[in-house]
Amino acid sequence: MVERTRRVGKKLPRKKRKARLRNKNLRRSKTELEHFAHIASHELQEPLRIVKGYLELFKARYHGKLDFEADDFIAYALEGTVRMERLIADLLLYARVGTEAGNIQSTDCEAVFDLALRNLGVNMDGQCGLVTHDPLPVVRAAEPQLVQVFQNLISNGIKFHGKERPSIHVSAKRKGGEWLFSVRDNGIGIDPKDAERIFAMFQRLHGVDQYPGTGIGLALCKKIVERHGGRIWVESRAGHGATFYFTLPERG
Ligand code: ADP
């Protein structure tokens, strides 16, 4: 059916019709891809559980009974399954942001901050580093998704620490109809040339032997923040800590 403008029933110009169709197709393939990622990662969990289970059984029964190389091989294989488990779990989280809309409601960011620390197992005694915050606002957001954003940014601040004990500070201020949040750390920092690419999936600046991780955390933060109508970016210099900023509209 030919698309018409709603008000006067006039036929839309050909260029506009094409652009609308292209957008519609893009939206559909994005949804399909998210659905596929969701199902694929979910389905992968089961065979992985079997592989991991039998590797553990093998280790329990034969550790120290074969040659010393065999023990190493089995340890590497088990490490691989643990890493794969984390990747699948993170991929599932990523896909869910698109497939499960999440309830946008009035959300107290101080409660979000506390929950993020609890999930990370960070105590306020400062043993894992110091994580502090200014008064945080109540915003319109899907609470579990906002917890993910806080959690990822704070855990990165702790993980990518330098020689000093990690110190992370979270704050928020009103700016031009938006809330501007910042998560500042005193860690190893990021070269400005990498500031954009770290928000893409699987983009990591270090090997897993140096710092563990899947490279999905920041892509997940970006997806969540953008879904809420905000933006996310980092300001940093290598060796001088990093400050991650994100915005949320005041009326989400
Ligand atoms: P992961 O932490 O699993 O590696 P992320 O998507 O959270 O994945 O981060 C991508 C990369 O960005 C990290 O591997 C790291 O190189 C860099 N990065 C993220 N946060 C920080 C930070 N606070 N300080 C320094 N580098 C960071």
Side-chain angles (χ1 to χ4, degrees):
M1 203 172 69
V2 175
E3 221 182 322
R4 290 171 191 276
T5 52
R6 218 171 270 162
R7 211 150 34 99
V8 285
K10 252 198 288 168
K11 198 174 152 185
L12 278 175
R14 195 179 146 81
K15 249 190 176 170
K16 259 198 177 158
R17 280 204 322 265
K18 269 192 159 175
R20 280 203 181 175
L21 191 65
R22 211 171 32 238
N23 282 344
K24 201 171 147 194
N25 285 341
L26 259 175
R27 270 200 306 274
R28 200 180 41 220
S29 48
K30 195 167 162 247
T31 314
E32 277 171 6
L33 203 67
E34 274 166 357
H35 198 63
F36 169 77
H38 187 232
I39 293 181
S41 31
H42 197 263
E43 291 297 310
L44 281 170
Q45 281 179 324
E46 183 53 24
L48 181 60
R49 248 194 296 272
I50 296 173
V51 173
K52 192 178 172 206
Y54 276 102
L55 280 172
E56 279 168 345
L57 198 66
F58 191 87
K59 184 181 169 189
R61 199 172 286 180
Y62 298 108
H63 184 82
K65 294 188 180 149
L66 304 169
D67 65 49
F68 73 95
E69 265 193 330
D71 288 349
D72 282 349
F73 292 165
I74 205 75
Y76 296 145
L78 269 170
E79 265 171 43
T81 58
V82 171
R83 192 163 146 62
M84 183 108 78
E85 256 177 357
R86 285 198 196 120
L87 266 168
I88 291 175
D90 280 0
L91 269 175
L92 259 175
L93 274 177
Y94 185 86
R96 270 190 194 136
V97 176
T99 50
E100 292 167 15
N103 213 357
I104 304 268
Q105 57 192 7
S106 186
T107 300
D108 179 357
C109 291
E110 301 224 348
V112 167
F113 175 91
D114 290 343
L115 196 54
L117 288 204
R118 221 173 316 140
N119 290 347
L120 289 171
V122 175
N123 297 321
M124 296 314 279
D125 59 14
Q127 275 195 348
C128 305
L130 205 59
V131 190
T132 52
H133 71 91
D134 287 339
L136 298 174
V138 173
V139 295
R140 304 265 318 149
E143 192 192 68
Q145 295 186 355
L146 203 53
V147 172
Q148 285 293 333
V149 174
F150 273 57
Q151 218 170 290
N152 278 311
L153 297 180
I154 294 170
S155 71
N156 277 350
I158 296 173
K159 179 164 67 174
F160 296 104
H161 68 83
K163 288 202 182 82
E164 289 162 39
R165 212 159 61 106
S167 167
I168 291 104
H169 186 71
V170 181
S171 62
K173 64 178 177 195
R174 264 202 180 95
K175 205 176 172 197
E178 291 180 321
W179 282 106
L180 173 65
F181 289 82
S182 63
V183 180
R184 188 187 70 224
D185 68 54
N186 62 343
I188 58 171
I190 297 155
D191 189 322
K193 75 170 171 28
D194 297 315
E196 243 176 74
R197 78 172 173 105
I198 55 171
F199 291 94
M201 287 275 262
F202 306 124
Q203 289 294 327
R204 312 193 69 241
L205 307 177
H206 316 272
V208 273
D209 43 338
Q210 245 181 314
Y211 295 97
T214 58
I216 298 176
L218 288 179
L220 180 70
C221 291
K222 183 172 156 72
K223 192 171 178 190
I224 292 173
V225 168
E226 288 181 352
R227 207 195 135 243
H228 283 78
R231 292 159 290 128
I232 185 166
W233 69 98
V234 65
E235 288 177 12
S236 177
R237 262 191 313 143
H240 290 84
T243 306
F244 283 81
Y245 294 95
F246 67 92
T247 62
L248 291 177
E250 258 187 75
R251 296 171 200 283

